[in-house]
C-alpha cells in the first residue's frame, strides 16, 4: 500500500477530517461569539443611537430656522435700506422747502 510521510491514505484522510472539523468548530465559535458581542454592543448603544437620531433631527430643524431667520434678516435689511433712502429723499425735500421759505421771506 502507498504511504505519505509514513501514514496511509486512510490515516491522512482521517487526520484531515479531524483538522477540518476542528477548524470548522473554531470558526463557528468565533463567528457566534462575534455575533453575540455585536448584539450586546448594539443593545448597549441603542439609547445613544436614538439620541443621535434625535440630535440630528433637532440640528436640521435648527439649521432650517437659522436659514429662515437669515432670509428674514436680509428682507429686513433691504427694507431698512429702502427706508433710509426715503428718509434721505424727505430730508432733501425738507431742505428745499426751507430754502424756498427763506427766499420767500427775504422777498417780503
Amino acid at each position: 500500500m502507498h504511504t505519505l510521510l509514513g501514514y496511509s491514505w486512510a490515516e491522512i484522510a482521517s487526520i484531515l477530517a479531524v483538522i477540518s472539523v476542528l477548524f470548522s468548530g473554531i470558526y463557528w465559535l468565533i463567528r457566534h461569539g462575534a455575533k453575540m458581542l455585536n448584539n450586546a454592543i448594539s443593545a448597549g448603544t441603542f439609547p445613544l443611537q436614538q439620541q443621535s437620531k434625535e440630535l440630528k433631527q433637532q440640528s436640521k430643524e435648527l439649521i432650517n430656522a437659522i436659514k429662515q431667520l437669515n432670509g428674514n434678516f436680509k428682507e429686513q435689511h433691504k427694507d431698512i435700506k429702502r427706508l433710509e433712502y426715503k428718509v434721505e429723499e424727505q430730508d432733501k425735500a425738507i431742505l428745499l422747502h426751507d430754502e424756498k421759505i427763506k427766499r420767500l421771506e427775504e422777498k417780503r
Side-chain angles (χ1 to χ4, degrees):
M1 182 175 262
H2 297 290
T3 62
L4 180 66
L5 300 174
Y7 296 104
S8 69
W9 289 110
E11 290 173 333
I12 292 173
S14 297
I15 292 170
L16 288 176
V18 169
I19 291 172
S20 163
V21 168
L22 286 175
F23 278 124
S24 296
I26 292 170
Y27 175 75
W28 181 84
L29 282 174
I30 291 172
R31 224 167 147 212
H32 183 70
K35 281 183 183 178
M36 296 297 286
L37 182 62
N38 191 25
N39 288 342
I41 290 172
S42 293
T45 59
F46 182 74
L48 184 61
Q49 291 172 358
Q50 290 301 105
Q51 287 177 350
S52 174
K53 286 179 184 178
E54 290 173 8
L55 283 174
K56 285 180 185 177
Q57 181 63 31
Q58 290 174 356
S59 66
K60 286 180 184 178
E61 292 172 1
L62 183 61
I63 288 170
N64 289 337
I66 289 171
K67 286 180 181 177
Q68 186 178 6
L69 286 174
N70 190 22
N72 290 343
F73 176 75
K74 288 180 180 178
E75 292 282 328
Q76 289 176 353
H77 187 67
K78 287 178 185 176
D79 290 342
I80 289 172
K81 288 292 184 185
R82 273 185 260 145
L83 286 173
E84 285 176 351
Y85 178 76
K86 286 182 181 180
V87 167
E88 287 176 15
E89 292 296 315
Q90 290 294 323
D91 283 344
K92 289 177 186 177
I94 289 172
L95 289 175
L96 287 174
H97 287 292
D98 284 344
E99 287 179 21
K100 285 181 184 178
I101 290 171
K102 284 180 185 177
R103 281 189 221 137
L104 287 173
E105 286 177 351
E106 288 174 0
K107 285 183 182 179
R108 274 194 195 181

